[in-house]
Amino acid sequence: METALTTLILPAGEAAVREAARLLARGGLVAFPTETVYGLGADATNAAAIARLYQAKGRPAFNPLISHVGDLEAAGRIGRFNETAALLAQAFWPGPLTLVLPKAAGCAVVDLATAGLETIAIRVPAHPAASAILRAFGGPVVAPSANLSGHVSPTSAAHVRSDLEGLIDLIVDDGAVEVGVESTIVGCFEHPALLRPGGVPREAIERVLGQALVQLPKDAESDCGQPLAPGMLTSHYAPRTRVRLNASTVAPGEALLAFGHPAKGADRAACVMNLSARGDLNEAAANLFGYLRALDARQAAAIAVMPIPNEGLGEAINDRLRRAAAGREDLGRQ
Ligand code: TXA
Ligand code: MG
């Protein structure tokens, strides 16, 4: 049995940053806010710390982690930038974009963090607390979303507590995050590929590159037979309650996750939460995971989700909703 730890919870600020850097240097696990979702950080060069991180999250070790660094210079020490990567870093860092690149020679990130791949995923987050922690620590920090593997990603320190209290050393609390969905992941391959839609809309990336991003099949492999998109497991962001997509009406006993004007039958729903009454996709992204958690707690017959336009952050929202519904989508009409 794992012995329960005392998880320290500190408000974001100088003391929290110092304590976070101290704990990371000792192989500790530190949850901290980023602009996308809360991350669970560990020293990317410390295999024992990363083994603890995989264990705390219950994450399959074949799913690699993102290395977070404070700036482009630090990123250049662990990844090899080609022209695509340089353009995107220049346009979107710091920010909700992760680049997948070949590992740099002498990259200090351990193989356990990259699941033995020859590539590495790198991100420079734009949140002041995250930047301060990365600066104070001074090395790369792996940080998956700070939830139990398979659960909905955390957009507040309270979400992190409910999943990981007693399993990690520190939670740095800075309230609700701004973006609400994880970073967009772009593979900077010969043909730049969208590996995960996220906080930077596809359209903005394509504008900077002057070309369309390719979509890799889930089982795409490199020349050496390694997976190129290892994170595309179908069921991932899973509430316990069944999720029904594209709902135009609500059945009695169902909870409704609305977007815009609520669907027919909303008045008899067990509970209604509106991602954005005014139909704003950025607002909807920021509310998505918190509302999914809240509706899941109502133990309704199902969570009926209204259609979301597939543009801007809508692509990331629909990706997360499809995964939330994977394997249990009810195709019957309601
Ligand atoms: O916004 C975010 O990216 C958040 C915050 C905390 O920064 N982090 C996050 O990490 O979402 P995580 O571990 O939940 O998702 C990392 C994704 C996984 O789907 C993984 O498969 C993919 O990144 N990934 C990591 N390294 C990769 C690589 N070398 N090639 C392709 N995909 C990779
Ligand atoms: Mg995650």
Side-chain angles (χ1 to χ4, degrees):
M1 270 305 279
E2 186 72 2
T3 15
L5 292 173
T6 308
T7 303
L8 189 61
I9 299 166
L10 293 174
E14 267 174 49
V17 168
R18 260 199 315 277
E19 184 61 6
R22 191 184 71 82
L23 285 165
L24 287 169
R26 295 177 44 186
L29 302 181
V30 174
F32 61 89
T34 82
E35 75 279 31
T36 57
V37 299
Y38 274 70
L40 178 58
D43 177 355
T45 67
N46 179 337
I50 293 166
R52 267 188 76 206
L53 186 153
Y54 278 120
Q55 191 184 25
K57 272 188 64 100
R59 178 176 176 121
F62 53 77
N63 198 6
L65 302 167
I66 297 171
S67 291
H68 295 65
V69 290
D71 54 36
L72 184 55
E73 197 190 327
R77 286 196 280 273
I78 56 176
R80 240 179 29 239
F81 281 68
N82 59 11
E83 198 185 333
T84 300
L87 273 173
L88 294 180
Q90 164 79 28
F92 298 111
W93 278 355
L97 176 70
T98 294
L99 300 176
V100 171
L101 314 167
K103 271 189 190 172
C107 167
V109 174
V110 296
D111 280 348
L112 189 56
T114 53
L117 299 176
E118 71 236 27
T119 54
I120 185 166
I122 310 177
R123 167 160 126 78
V124 178
H127 190 287
S131 309
I133 291 169
L134 291 169
R135 258 199 317 277
F137 175 62
V141 170
V142 288
S145 48
N147 52 279
L148 291 173
S149 187
H151 277 198
V152 176
S153 290
T155 53
S156 73
H159 296 160
V160 180
R161 274 184 84 169
S162 84
D163 270 23
L164 295 174
E165 189 157 30
L167 296 172
I168 64 175
D169 300 293
L170 170 66
I171 300 173
V172 177
D173 184 350
D174 193 43
V177 300
E178 200 183 311
V179 178
V181 289
E182 298 87 343
S183 59
T184 303
I185 306 183
V186 173
C188 301
F189 313 132
E190 190 186 335
H191 301 289
L194 182 67
L195 301 182
R196 175 176 76 183
V200 179
R202 168 206 290 272
E203 298 89 327
I205 295 170
E206 294 181 337
R207 227 174 293 127
V208 166
L209 292 181
Q211 63 177 308
L213 291 168
V214 301
Q215 196 91 46
L216 292 177
K218 279 191 198 109
D219 54 356
E221 292 184 347
S222 72
D223 295 344
C224 319
Q226 294 190 320
L228 288 174
M232 303 315 258
L233 304 170
T234 41
S235 179
H236 189 87
Y237 301 87
R240 282 176 298 265
T241 313
R242 189 167 57 85
V243 174
R244 187 168 70 81
L245 299 179
N246 288 319
S248 51
T249 61
V250 196
E254 281 188 328
L256 176 66
L257 188 59
F259 180 80
H261 187 70
K264 222 164 71 199
D267 47 333
R268 14 167 230 196
C271 174
V272 180
M273 294 187 90
N274 202 330
L275 288 171
S276 173
R278 59 194 159 98
D280 176 332
L281 289 166
N282 294 345
E283 182 183 30
N287 288 330
L288 177 67
F289 289 140
Y291 285 9
L292 273 177
R293 275 181 189 254
L295 291 180
D296 196 21
R298 301 298 295 254
Q299 301 188 319
I303 301 173
V305 184
M306 288 175 60
I308 315 279
N310 206 44
E311 66 205 26
L313 289 201
E315 191 176 1
I317 295 172
N318 284 324
D319 171 78
R320 306 310 186 264
L321 286 170
R322 265 196 306 277
R323 291 163 193 252
R328 44 189 115 154
E329 191 176 347
D330 180 6
L331 298 171
R333 293 225 186 111
Q334 284 285 351

